[in-house]
Amino acid sequence: MKNYIKHFVVLFLCGTILFGSCKKYINETPINAPTTANFWTSEQAAQTGLAGAYSLLRTALLNRSSYFTFGDATAGEFTSFAGDIAYSDFSESGQYDFNYTPYGSQWNDWTTFYQLIAQCNLIINKVPGMAASTFTDDPVATKKQIIGQAYFLRAFAYYYITEVWGAPVLVTQVYTNPITAQPIARSTDAQGFAQVVNDLKQSISMLQYSYANPGDVAVQANKSAAFALLSKTYMWQKQYQPAAAAADSVIKYGGYTLEPAATYRNIFRGHDQESIFELYMLYSGADNEAAGDAFNMFLQAPFIIDQQTAWYVAPTVINNLYGDTTSTSADIRVKNNFYGLQTINPILVKYADVVYQNSGTQTTAYVSDDLVVLRLADIYLTRAEAAARLGDLGTGDMYLNLVRKRAGVAAYNATDATNLIYEIMDERGREFYGEGSWYFDLYRTGLISDPNYENSVPGYNTDRVNGGGCQWPIGLRALLQQDPLLVQNKWWASH
């Protein structure tokens, strides 16, 4: 799979083979029928089509640093953003106003995710009917692997759309003549997550836990990735018993282990024993998958020569989460993930494997790390929270303390479910700082505005949380041209 992704540009020059102009997310331009029919004629074509879907996911998550904007900046993890005016209201004083983000219009636009969904729909529709003789490997098994991954990627797209903007437009079919296709109204969050569950169950039925090719480990979705995302989806639905069962499937059968403390940074260096699903972004001179705009904004000199500004982490949040932030801190994440905590401009160094395209002059810097989306520590903490919600404090403690033990901090002993959930959420902040996820868990649980929770985020209030104001407004000016039935999120329609 990784090799197909590397050569993706040969296939989809903005979708000229399958998408036409790629301008519309539901009503795509008419598909060139002869070209489409001629494309789905071999195993390589099917694999290349799947690689196109992975590439679209990467584009969607990295566009304008969206992954870190949606999941970290909104949680107050950073105090400044390298002078980028688009983040001017991402603060307590700015009330995290998502409705006014100058030069950040990409954050209101879900188009690329719908291009990904359209690509997955094509795979799910076309691959089953491909002749067995066109496959060099076992056609039944290979088709299952390709289609199962397409279901996973479509599920992930709808999961993320529902988290970020809410009320997705559900499209699960291929439009052979999009001009005559009828517009579709937005669904509800509940319907969005239900679609995710349905797709993940399909994916689980088709995928395996193991990999035939070591190069595909973590960068290609497998059964564990589907169970991991299913567990997190059930948490949104407040179905804690199924969430626990899905997490158990990953923990018991996935074969993953936590990366040892001594080599903690290996988590982000690709194909790690802890990583369940990641996007391949490593650098090599011949086949460069790194992107200069993926992680570079977190770093400055001495990590990137001559880069004098960065996204600076929030000292107050760091101090609240870790307590001791000196060089002698027992928590290995303090020294592994941050630099300059005793200065006025501390930075995140979780992604700091810098290479230069021109090594002699040290110019054109890339960070050669993968974007880890799902990992075992996340599933341990999901399992811990599910147990706490079910009143099983012992199991909650056990999974929480697996993460704490690796970090080098003392075990936690819960006395009640509420404080255990608070501690689990703190641990999420400590473990996943700068990994695009803490904000979603804070608002999923309502702790983002809970006055009794020490790490609630000033700038949010209960009315906003309950009214859907933690999800982003959609950019109707652009999107209404694509679907006239779209309506604005209720909170942002009046704020």
Side-chain angles (χ1 to χ4, degrees):
M1 173 56 64
K2 184 168 63 178
N3 291 332
Y4 285 115
I5 294 174
K6 288 178 180 178
H7 301 294
F8 165 71
V9 70
V10 175
L11 154 83
F12 293 78
L13 301 176
C14 192
T16 53
I17 293 177
L18 299 179
F19 289 128
S21 69
C22 276
K23 292 180 179 178
K24 296 187 177 183
Y25 75 102
I26 295 174
N27 298 330
E28 300 101 349
T29 54
I31 295 172
N32 183 318
T35 302
T36 303
N38 293 338
F39 178 79
W40 301 97
T41 56
S42 69
E43 178 182 341
Q44 182 175 0
Q47 295 281 13
T48 307
L50 180 62
Y54 279 101
S55 183
L56 285 165
L57 176 59
R58 171 175 153 162
T59 299
L61 294 182
L62 294 183
N63 186 21
R64 200 68 168 84
S65 303
S66 292
Y67 190 70
F68 303 108
T69 299
F70 293 144
D72 296 307
T74 47
E77 294 177 28
F78 298 90
T79 57
S80 62
F81 301 87
D84 191 334
I85 193 174
Y87 295 90
S88 58
D89 287 326
F90 280 63
S91 64
E92 178 182 358
S93 61
Q95 297 291 297
Y96 294 93
D97 187 358
F98 303 164
N99 215 17
Y100 180 68
T101 49
Y103 311 109
S105 60
Q106 296 94 330
W107 302 327
N108 304 120
D109 188 351
W110 56 23
T111 299
T112 308
F113 285 98
Y114 278 98
Q115 292 170 350
L116 165 59
I117 288 165
Q119 178 69 358
C120 292
N121 290 344
L122 277 166
I123 295 168
I124 293 166
N125 177 266
K126 298 294 183 182
V127 172
M130 293 177 65
S133 59
T134 64
F135 288 79
T136 56
D137 299 320
D138 178 350
V140 175
T142 303
K143 284 185 180 184
K144 281 186 175 182
Q145 283 294 106
I146 293 169
I147 299 167
Q149 289 176 72
Y151 273 116
F152 172 84
L153 292 171
R154 190 171 76 179
F156 187 91
Y158 279 125
Y159 177 87
Y160 205 72
I161 289 169
T162 307
E163 273 195 326
V164 174
W165 297 281
V169 177
L170 295 177
V171 186
T172 58
Q173 66 186 79
V174 174
Y175 289 97
T176 56
N177 189 355
I179 286 178
T180 61
Q182 295 300 307
I184 304 173
R186 299 179 75 175
S187 65
T188 64
D189 288 4
Q191 291 168 327
F193 284 128
Q195 181 63 49
V196 173
V197 169
N198 289 339
D199 280 352
L200 290 174
K201 287 180 177 179
Q202 289 284 353
S203 180
I204 287 165
S205 72
M206 296 181 174
L207 298 179
Q208 304 296 317
Y209 284 108
S210 60
Y211 292 94
N213 180 359
D216 292 336
V217 171
V219 298
Q220 179 176 338
N222 67 351
K223 191 185 291 284
S224 288
F227 269 123
L229 188 59
L230 182 61
S231 181
K232 293 170 73 69
T233 306
Y234 281 138
M235 294 300 288
W236 275 102
Q237 295 178 316
K238 302 187 186 304
Q239 296 188 43
Y240 302 120
Q241 194 64 59
D248 284 341
S249 293
V250 179
I251 294 166
K252 294 178 180 179
Y253 306 116
Y256 302 96
T257 57
L258 293 178
E259 181 68 32
T263 50
Y264 183 84
R265 289 283 304 284
N266 284 350
I267 294 170
F268 311 101
R269 290 171 174 158
H271 310 296
D272 186 69
Q273 62 191 20
E274 182 172 335
S275 179
I276 299 170
F277 180 64
E278 64 191 45
L279 297 181
Y280 183 78
M281 297 177 57
L282 301 184
Y283 179 88
S284 72
D287 254 327
N288 180 24
E289 289 296 319
D293 60 349
F295 305 116
N296 290 34
M297 72 282 191
F298 293 127
L299 303 175
Q300 62 180 28
F303 295 90
I304 296 180
I305 304 301
D306 295 331
Q307 186 157 306
Q308 301 303 319
T309 188
W311 285 24
Y312 297 130
V313 298
T316 300
V317 177
I318 298 291
N319 290 334
N320 285 345
L321 286 172
Y322 294 97
D324 181 5
T325 61
T326 67
S327 60
T328 59
S329 173
D331 194 321
I332 60 104
R333 295 166 297 197
V334 171
K335 67 177 181 181
N336 275 281
N337 295 344
F338 305 99
Y339 177 82
L341 287 178
Q342 307 309 310
T343 69
I344 60 172
N345 291 322
I347 61 175
L348 181 79
V349 294
K350 185 171 278 188
Y351 317 101
D353 292 300
V354 177
V355 295
Y356 294 93
Q357 186 173 22
N358 304 304
S359 58
T361 58
Q362 292 191 314
T363 56
T364 313
Y366 294 95
V367 177
S368 185
D369 288 314
D370 279 356
L371 182 66
V372 178
V373 177
L374 295 167
R375 59 185 176 98
L376 183 61
D378 181 5
I379 303 309
Y380 279 164
L381 294 180
T382 299
R383 183 65 179 89
E385 185 187 340
R389 301 284 183 185
L390 294 168
D392 184 354
L393 303 188
T395 299
D397 276 352
M398 180 183 74
Y399 283 109
L400 168 63
N401 288 328
L402 288 173
V403 179
R404 292 173 65 87
K405 181 179 180 181
R406 191 263 299 273
V409 297
Y412 181 83
N413 295 304
T415 56
D416 62 82
T418 297
N419 283 298
L420 176 55
I421 291 168
Y422 285 171
E423 188 60 32
I424 291 167
M425 202 55 54
D426 283 351
E427 195 62 29
R428 280 196 171 278
R430 289 186 282 263
E431 183 68 26
F432 301 108
Y433 206 106
E435 292 190 42
S437 66
W438 193 35
Y439 171 78
F440 296 118
D441 288 300
L442 286 171
Y443 98 68
R444 171 181 61 79
T445 57
L447 296 185
I448 196 167
S449 62
D450 185 342
N452 297 314
Y453 176 57
E454 182 178 5
N455 287 305
S456 61
V457 184
Y460 297 90
N461 59 56
T462 302
D463 287 344
R464 176 176 174 178
V465 174
N466 294 337
C470 286
Q471 293 167 317
W472 281 70
I474 58 173
L476 287 178
R477 181 176 298 179
L479 296 180
L480 271 177
Q481 301 173 37
Q482 304 168 17
D483 187 346
L485 295 184
L486 291 181
V487 295
Q488 188 56 274
N489 295 346
K490 183 178 179 180
W491 176 267
W492 295 113
S494 58
H495 289 81

Short mmCIF file of all heavy atoms in Angstrom, two decimals, residues 332-364:
data_model
loop_
_atom_site.label_atom_id
_atom_site.label_comp_id
_atom_site.label_asym_id
_atom_site.label_seq_id
_atom_site.Cartn_x
_atom_site.Cartn_y
_atom_site.Cartn_z
N ILE A 332 8.22 11.10 31.97
CA ILE A 332 9.11 11.09 30.80
C ILE A 332 8.57 11.94 29.66
O ILE A 332 9.31 12.34 28.76
CB ILE A 332 9.39 9.65 30.33
CG1 ILE A 332 8.09 8.93 29.93
CG2 ILE A 332 10.13 8.88 31.40
CD1 ILE A 332 7.87 8.81 28.47
N ARG A 333 7.29 12.26 29.69
CA ARG A 333 6.71 13.06 28.61
C ARG A 333 7.13 14.51 28.68
O ARG A 333 7.11 15.22 27.66
CB ARG A 333 5.19 12.92 28.64
CG ARG A 333 4.72 11.51 28.33
CD ARG A 333 3.28 11.27 28.67
NE ARG A 333 2.98 11.42 30.10
CZ ARG A 333 1.89 10.95 30.69
NH1 ARG A 333 0.99 10.29 29.98
NH2 ARG A 333 1.68 11.14 31.98
N VAL A 334 7.51 14.97 29.85
CA VAL A 334 7.94 16.36 30.00
C VAL A 334 9.18 16.61 29.16
O VAL A 334 9.25 17.58 28.38
CB VAL A 334 8.19 16.71 31.48
CG1 VAL A 334 8.86 18.07 31.61
CG2 VAL A 334 6.88 16.68 32.25
N LYS A 335 10.18 15.75 29.27
CA LYS A 335 11.41 15.98 28.51
C LYS A 335 11.33 15.48 27.08
O LYS A 335 12.03 15.99 26.20
CB LYS A 335 12.60 15.35 29.22
CG LYS A 335 12.59 13.83 29.27
CD LYS A 335 13.86 13.30 29.93
CE LYS A 335 13.89 11.78 29.97
NZ LYS A 335 15.11 11.26 30.63
N ASN A 336 10.47 14.49 26.82
CA ASN A 336 10.36 13.97 25.47
C ASN A 336 9.51 14.85 24.56
O ASN A 336 9.75 14.90 23.35
CB ASN A 336 9.76 12.56 25.49
CG ASN A 336 10.79 11.48 25.72
OD1 ASN A 336 11.51 11.09 24.82
ND2 ASN A 336 10.87 11.01 26.96
N ASN A 337 8.52 15.52 25.12
CA ASN A 337 7.54 16.21 24.29
C ASN A 337 7.68 17.72 24.25
O ASN A 337 7.07 18.37 23.39
CB ASN A 337 6.12 15.88 24.77
CG ASN A 337 5.78 14.41 24.60
OD1 ASN A 337 6.44 13.69 23.88
ND2 ASN A 337 4.72 13.97 25.28
N PHE A 338 8.48 18.29 25.17
CA PHE A 338 8.55 19.75 25.24
C PHE A 338 10.00 20.22 25.35
O PHE A 338 10.88 19.50 25.81
CB PHE A 338 7.74 20.26 26.45
CG PHE A 338 6.32 19.81 26.44
CD1 PHE A 338 5.91 18.73 27.22
CD2 PHE A 338 5.37 20.44 25.66
CE1 PHE A 338 4.60 18.29 27.22
CE2 PHE A 338 4.06 20.00 25.64
CZ PHE A 338 3.66 18.92 26.41
N TYR A 339 10.20 21.46 24.94
CA TYR A 339 11.52 22.09 25.01
C TYR A 339 11.33 23.52 25.50
O TYR A 339 10.44 24.24 25.04
CB TYR A 339 12.17 22.09 23.63
CG TYR A 339 13.52 22.77 23.56
CD1 TYR A 339 14.68 22.11 23.93
CD2 TYR A 339 13.62 24.09 23.10
CE1 TYR A 339 15.92 22.74 23.85
CE2 TYR A 339 14.84 24.73 23.02
CZ TYR A 339 15.99 24.05 23.40
OH TYR A 339 17.21 24.67 23.33
N GLY A 340 12.18 23.91 26.45
CA GLY A 340 12.16 25.29 26.92
C GLY A 340 11.01 25.61 27.86
O GLY A 340 10.53 26.75 27.88
N LEU A 341 10.58 24.65 28.67
CA LEU A 341 9.44 24.89 29.55
C LEU A 341 9.72 25.95 30.60
O LEU A 341 8.78 26.51 31.19
CB LEU A 341 8.99 23.59 30.22
CG LEU A 341 8.28 22.59 29.31
CD1 LEU A 341 7.93 21.31 30.09
CD2 LEU A 341 7.01 23.19 28.72
N GLN A 342 10.97 26.24 30.87
CA GLN A 342 11.30 27.27 31.85
C GLN A 342 11.57 28.61 31.18
O GLN A 342 12.03 29.56 31.83
CB GLN A 342 12.53 26.83 32.66
CG GLN A 342 12.39 25.46 33.31
CD GLN A 342 11.11 25.28 34.11
OE1 GLN A 342 10.77 26.11 34.94
NE2 GLN A 342 10.38 24.20 33.85
N THR A 343 11.26 28.70 29.88
CA THR A 343 11.42 29.96 29.15
C THR A 343 10.04 30.54 28.84
O THR A 343 9.00 29.93 29.10
CB THR A 343 12.19 29.74 27.84
OG1 THR A 343 11.36 28.99 26.92
CG2 THR A 343 13.47 28.96 28.09
N ILE A 344 10.01 31.72 28.22
CA ILE A 344 8.72 32.35 27.93
C ILE A 344 8.06 31.78 26.68
O ILE A 344 6.86 31.98 26.47
CB ILE A 344 8.87 33.89 27.78
CG1 ILE A 344 9.83 34.22 26.63
CG2 ILE A 344 9.33 34.51 29.09
CD1 ILE A 344 9.87 35.71 26.31
N ASN A 345 8.83 31.06 25.86
CA ASN A 345 8.28 30.52 24.62
C ASN A 345 8.60 29.03 24.48
O ASN A 345 9.37 28.62 23.61
CB ASN A 345 8.83 31.28 23.41
CG ASN A 345 8.32 32.70 23.34
OD1 ASN A 345 7.15 32.97 23.64
ND2 ASN A 345 9.18 33.63 22.93
N PRO A 346 8.00 28.19 25.30
CA PRO A 346 8.24 26.74 25.19
C PRO A 346 7.56 26.18 23.94
O PRO A 346 6.54 26.70 23.48
CB PRO A 346 7.61 26.18 26.46
CG PRO A 346 6.55 27.16 26.82
CD PRO A 346 7.06 28.51 26.40
N ILE A 347 8.13 25.11 23.41
CA ILE A 347 7.59 24.51 22.19
C ILE A 347 7.38 23.01 22.36
O ILE A 347 7.93 22.38 23.26
CB ILE A 347 8.51 24.77 20.97
CG1 ILE A 347 9.90 24.15 21.19
CG2 ILE A 347 8.60 26.25 20.65
CD1 ILE A 347 10.81 24.25 19.96
N LEU A 348 6.57 22.46 21.47
CA LEU A 348 6.31 21.03 21.40
C LEU A 348 7.36 20.38 20.51
O LEU A 348 7.58 20.82 19.37
CB LEU A 348 4.91 20.78 20.83
CG LEU A 348 4.45 19.33 20.70
CD1 LEU A 348 3.99 18.81 22.06
CD2 LEU A 348 3.29 19.22 19.70
N VAL A 349 8.03 19.33 21.00
CA VAL A 349 9.05 18.65 20.19
C VAL A 349 8.71 17.17 20.02
O VAL A 349 9.59 16.34 19.82
CB VAL A 349 10.46 18.83 20.80
CG1 VAL A 349 10.88 20.29 20.72
CG2 VAL A 349 10.52 18.32 22.24
N LYS A 350 7.44 16.86 20.11
CA LYS A 350 6.98 15.49 19.90
C LYS A 350 7.32 15.02 18.48
O LYS A 350 7.61 13.85 18.24
CB LYS A 350 5.48 15.42 20.15
CG LYS A 350 4.87 14.05 20.09
CD LYS A 350 3.42 14.09 20.58
CE LYS A 350 3.31 14.05 22.08
NZ LYS A 350 1.91 13.90 22.57
N TYR A 351 7.27 15.96 17.54
CA TYR A 351 7.62 15.68 16.14
C TYR A 351 8.86 16.52 15.82
O TYR A 351 8.75 17.70 15.50
CB TYR A 351 6.48 16.07 15.21
CG TYR A 351 5.11 15.67 15.71
CD1 TYR A 351 4.26 16.59 16.31
CD2 TYR A 351 4.66 14.36 15.57
CE1 TYR A 351 3.00 16.23 16.77
CE2 TYR A 351 3.39 13.99 16.03
CZ TYR A 351 2.57 14.93 16.63
OH TYR A 351 1.33 14.57 17.07
N ALA A 352 10.02 15.94 15.96
CA ALA A 352 11.24 16.75 15.83
C ALA A 352 12.36 16.04 15.09
O ALA A 352 13.53 16.37 15.27
CB ALA A 352 11.72 17.18 17.22
N ASP A 353 12.00 15.04 14.26
CA ASP A 353 13.02 14.35 13.48
C ASP A 353 13.24 15.12 12.18
O ASP A 353 12.70 14.78 11.12
CB ASP A 353 12.60 12.91 13.22
CG ASP A 353 12.58 12.09 14.49
OD1 ASP A 353 13.65 11.97 15.14
OD2 ASP A 353 11.50 11.58 14.87
N VAL A 354 14.03 16.18 12.28
CA VAL A 354 14.21 17.11 11.18
C VAL A 354 15.29 16.63 10.22
O VAL A 354 16.38 16.21 10.64
CB VAL A 354 14.57 18.51 11.72
CG1 VAL A 354 14.83 19.49 10.57
CG2 VAL A 354 13.47 19.02 12.63
N VAL A 355 14.97 16.67 8.95
CA VAL A 355 15.95 16.42 7.89
C VAL A 355 15.86 17.59 6.92
O VAL A 355 14.82 18.26 6.83
CB VAL A 355 15.70 15.08 7.17
CG1 VAL A 355 15.90 13.90 8.09
CG2 VAL A 355 14.31 15.05 6.56
N TYR A 356 16.95 17.81 6.19
CA TYR A 356 16.99 18.91 5.23
C TYR A 356 17.14 18.35 3.83
O TYR A 356 17.96 17.45 3.59
CB TYR A 356 18.16 19.85 5.55
CG TYR A 356 17.99 20.58 6.86
CD1 TYR A 356 18.53 20.07 8.04
CD2 TYR A 356 17.28 21.78 6.92
CE1 TYR A 356 18.37 20.73 9.24
CE2 TYR A 356 17.11 22.44 8.13
CZ TYR A 356 17.66 21.92 9.28
OH TYR A 356 17.49 22.57 10.48
N GLN A 357 16.36 18.91 2.94
CA GLN A 357 16.48 18.48 1.54
C GLN A 357 17.87 18.78 1.02
O GLN A 357 18.45 18.01 0.26
CB GLN A 357 15.43 19.19 0.69
CG GLN A 357 15.38 18.70 -0.75
CD GLN A 357 14.24 19.31 -1.51
OE1 GLN A 357 13.71 20.36 -1.16
NE2 GLN A 357 13.81 18.66 -2.57
N ASN A 358 18.41 19.92 1.46
CA ASN A 358 19.78 20.28 1.12
C ASN A 358 20.61 20.20 2.39
O ASN A 358 20.72 21.17 3.15
CB ASN A 358 19.82 21.70 0.52
CG ASN A 358 18.91 21.83 -0.68
OD1 ASN A 358 19.04 21.09 -1.64
ND2 ASN A 358 17.97 22.78 -0.63
N SER A 359 21.16 19.03 2.65
CA SER A 359 21.83 18.79 3.92
C SER A 359 23.06 19.66 4.11
O SER A 359 23.39 20.05 5.23
CB SER A 359 22.20 17.31 4.06
OG SER A 359 23.03 16.90 2.98
N GLY A 360 23.74 19.97 3.02
CA GLY A 360 24.96 20.76 3.13
C GLY A 360 24.71 22.17 3.63
O GLY A 360 25.41 22.68 4.50
N THR A 361 23.66 22.80 3.10
CA THR A 361 23.34 24.17 3.49
C THR A 361 22.24 24.23 4.55
O THR A 361 21.90 25.30 5.02
CB THR A 361 22.88 24.97 2.26
OG1 THR A 361 21.75 24.32 1.68
CG2 THR A 361 24.01 25.06 1.24
N GLN A 362 21.70 23.06 4.90
CA GLN A 362 20.62 22.96 5.90
C GLN A 362 19.45 23.89 5.56
O GLN A 362 19.02 24.71 6.36
CB GLN A 362 21.15 23.24 7.30
CG GLN A 362 22.09 22.15 7.81
CD GLN A 362 22.41 22.27 9.27
OE1 GLN A 362 22.72 23.35 9.77
NE2 GLN A 362 22.34 21.16 9.99
N THR A 363 18.95 23.71 4.35
CA THR A 363 17.79 24.46 3.89
C THR A 363 16.69 23.49 3.46
O THR A 363 16.94 22.34 3.17
CB THR A 363 18.14 25.38 2.72
OG1 THR A 363 18.72 24.61 1.67
CG2 THR A 363 19.12 26.47 3.16
N THR A 364 15.47 23.99 3.41
CA THR A 364 14.26 23.22 3.10
C THR A 364 14.10 22.07 4.09
O THR A 364 14.42 20.92 3.82
CB THR A 364 14.27 22.69 1.65
OG1 THR A 364 14.65 23.73 0.75
CG2 THR A 364 12.89 22.15 1.28
#
